[in-house]
Amino acid sequence: VFAPPGTSCRLPVIMYHSLVTSDSAADQYVCPISRVESDLAWLRDNGYTSVSLAQLVAYADGTGTLPKKPVLLTLDDGYRNNLTLLPALLEQYDMRAVISVVGEYTDIYTASGEDGSPHSCMSWEDLNRAAGVERIELACHSYYFHHLTGRKGCARKDGESLDDWRAALTADTLAIRQALEEQCGVIPLCYAYPFGQITEGADQVMQQLGFRVTLSCNEQSSTLTSGNRDCLFSLGRFNRDGRLSTEAFMARAMGPSQ
């Protein structure tokens, strides 16, 4: 079954980061698991179906279809609490999620171990476990580019030539992709731009490297078109501020008419 070429659909993408058990720890990038559960219940009760990257790729290739109201759930940075708190809820609510990994963070916590904070990231062993969870997909979030000093994310630096920037982006991206393949047996389909920093030409680099989906931080839904492979690049995402109620967040991300 596939959607006729030219068929279009709206795709909202939600961006979570760290998850915590305490409601009082909520922050712009820290979401209590109680609110995550409330979000998933809201999505289910309002007819949304979470989709996989493979489903999006098939739709863009013109070889598949999507549910009437698709939603993509993403989590950035690879926090360990994503593995310990999320899978049970994904199973309970029949949802899927994409976790985008920073190689440098993974190296740090592989060497030092979990420190008990909301910012502890998964080790390579943890990521290998996550790769084995049916409802979780792993994606790339850079290896060494998750910084705002010097280079801002994977953006081109002031005065940097286009060729040098492309070479640096390519090398860093190949490093995280190779690590995920060697450590976790995963060939990622998706790249999430660190801090949403997208230099003109970045999507072309990712396409040349074989990625099929890229994620921005632009707070807008995207329109996908069956048979149009380019529609999956620089998808907009809504950051899930953990201080907001589910109703307040969904009104902003999904729109009042949904």
Side-chain angles (χ1 to χ4, degrees), residues 16-17 19 53 72-84 86-87 90 96-102 122 126-127 130-131 133 135-141 180 186 188 190 192 215 237:
Y16 296 92
H17 291 81
L19 310 178
L53 296 172
L72 183 65
L73 305 178
T74 70
L75 300 98
D76 278 9
D77 303 337
Y79 294 110
R80 192 171 189 276
N81 49 49
N82 295 177
L83 176 62
T84 58
L86 188 62
L90 295 177
R96 307 183 59 88
V98 177
I99 298 177
S100 299
V101 177
V102 180
M122 284 185 265
D126 291 330
L127 283 173
V133 177
R135 295 179 180 275
I136 288 176
E137 296 174 273
L138 299 182
C140 296
H141 201 28
L180 284 173
V186 170
C190 175
L215 304 174
R237 292 192 291 171

Side-chain angles (χ1 to χ4, degrees), residues 159-221:
E160 186 175 32
S161 73
L162 190 59
D163 286 345
D164 285 349
W165 167 74
R166 284 176 177 156
L169 177 58
T170 297
D172 188 83
T173 304
L174 288 176
I176 182 61
R177 186 173 73 181
Q178 181 178 352
L180 284 173
E181 184 174 359
E182 292 178 353
Q183 297 283 350
C184 308
V186 170
I187 300 177
L189 294 171
C190 175
Y191 186 97
Y193 289 109
F195 309 106
Q197 294 286 330
I198 306 176
T199 293
E200 184 178 356
D203 280 339
Q204 286 70 32
V205 172
M206 295 303 161
Q207 284 179 300
Q208 291 167 3
L209 293 176
F211 288 91
R212 299 300 311 277
V213 183
T214 61
L215 304 174
S216 76
C217 294
N218 296 325
E219 294 215 321
Q220 60 188 30
S221 293

Side-chain angles (χ1 to χ4, degrees), residues 241-258:
D241 187 325
R243 298 168 295 188
L244 298 177
S245 69
T246 289
E247 291 72 20
F249 173 74
M250 293 300 176
R252 180 163 61 86
M254 302 299 178
S257 63
Q258 299 299 318

